[in-house]
Amino acid sequence: MWSKLDTYLFPLRPSATCPSGTFMLHVPSGKMEWSEGMFGIHGLKQGEVVPTLELFMAHKHPQDRETVRALWRNLLDGGGQGALLHRVIDVRGKERRVFSAVQAVADASGQVEYVSGFMVDVTQSLRIESQHAAEEAIEGAYGYKAVIEQAKGIVMALRGVDGPAAFQVLATRSQHANAKLHFVAEELVTAAANGKADELLAGY
C-alpha cells in the first residue's frame, strides 16, 4: 500500500487539502488496510472499525454499488486495473463524490491475492466547477442579450415577422451552422452594419 499520496484537483488551489487515501485488500480473508485518509473519507477515525471488503462496499451509494461490485469481480478474476468515479455515503449520511483507481495483480496461476488502490474525494472540486459553469451561463445570458435582441430586430424588420418567429430564425441558423446563438446574432449584426443583412438572411 502506498505510504504517501500526493494529490491536486483543479480548480482548487495547490495548497488546498484534497481528502484522499489508499487501501489494500487481502483477497483470501477479505480484510483491508486503510490509510488515515480512507477512514476520513468515510467519516471515520483510524481504529474505530476494522475495514473489510464488505464495509467498503456497504458505503457505496446504492445506485453505484452493483456497478462497483461488477468491476471488482472482473478484477478479481485474473487481475487488471480499473478506475471509477462514483459516490460514497459516509457514516453521517453525507454523499461524497470520489475517484478511485484499483489494481489487482495475479500470480502465474491467475489467482489474485492482493488488490491495492487509492481514492480521492473530488466533491469540492466538482462543486466549484458546477458553480463556475452556472456563473458563466448567467453571465453569458446577460452579456449576449443585447446583440441577440438587436439581431432579432433585424430579422423582424427584413422578414416582417414577430419577435418569437425572429428568434426561431436565429435558433434554426444556430443549429444548422452548429454555432452558438450569440455568434449567429453577432454575424447578422455585423452584416447589417455592412449593408449585407439581406444577403446573409437569404442563406438562412
Side-chain angles (χ1 to χ4, degrees), residues 22-92:
T22 59
F23 58 85
M24 180 176 285
L25 167 71
H26 180 240
V27 177
S29 67
K31 292 184 178 180
M32 300 186 82
E33 294 178 41
W34 285 5
S35 70
E36 184 177 356
M38 278 293 293
F39 282 96
I41 289 174
H42 291 80
L44 295 163
K45 293 182 179 179
Q46 202 162 16
E48 283 189 329
V49 297
V50 176
T52 63
L53 183 59
E54 289 72 22
L55 178 67
F56 185 73
M57 291 298 175
H59 280 280
K60 305 306 180 189
H61 190 286
Q63 293 178 352
D64 299 339
R65 192 174 296 140
E66 186 50 43
T67 300
V68 175
R69 285 186 182 279
L71 185 143
W72 272 72
R73 282 196 295 267
N74 289 337
L75 294 179
L76 292 171
D77 184 18
Q81 298 84 37
L84 311 93
L85 180 62
H86 62 290
R87 293 163 291 181
V88 164
I89 307 297
D90 70 15
V91 294
R92 299 175 184 83

Side-chain angles (χ1 to χ4, degrees), residues 84-141:
L84 311 93
L85 180 62
H86 62 290
R87 293 163 291 181
V88 164
I89 307 297
D90 70 15
V91 294
R92 299 175 184 83
K94 179 181 177 181
E95 180 181 307
R96 297 173 181 258
R97 304 295 179 98
V98 299
F99 172 79
S100 62
V102 187
Q103 182 175 36
V105 180
D107 59 22
S109 67
Q111 295 297 310
V112 175
E113 185 173 4
Y114 287 98
V115 179
S116 62
F118 68 83
M119 182 178 290
V120 181
D121 186 340
V122 298
T123 307
Q124 185 180 2
S125 180
L126 292 178
R127 182 181 297 120
I128 292 173
E129 279 287 89
S130 297
Q131 289 172 346
H132 286 176
E135 289 168 0
E136 288 176 1
I138 293 170
E139 290 173 2

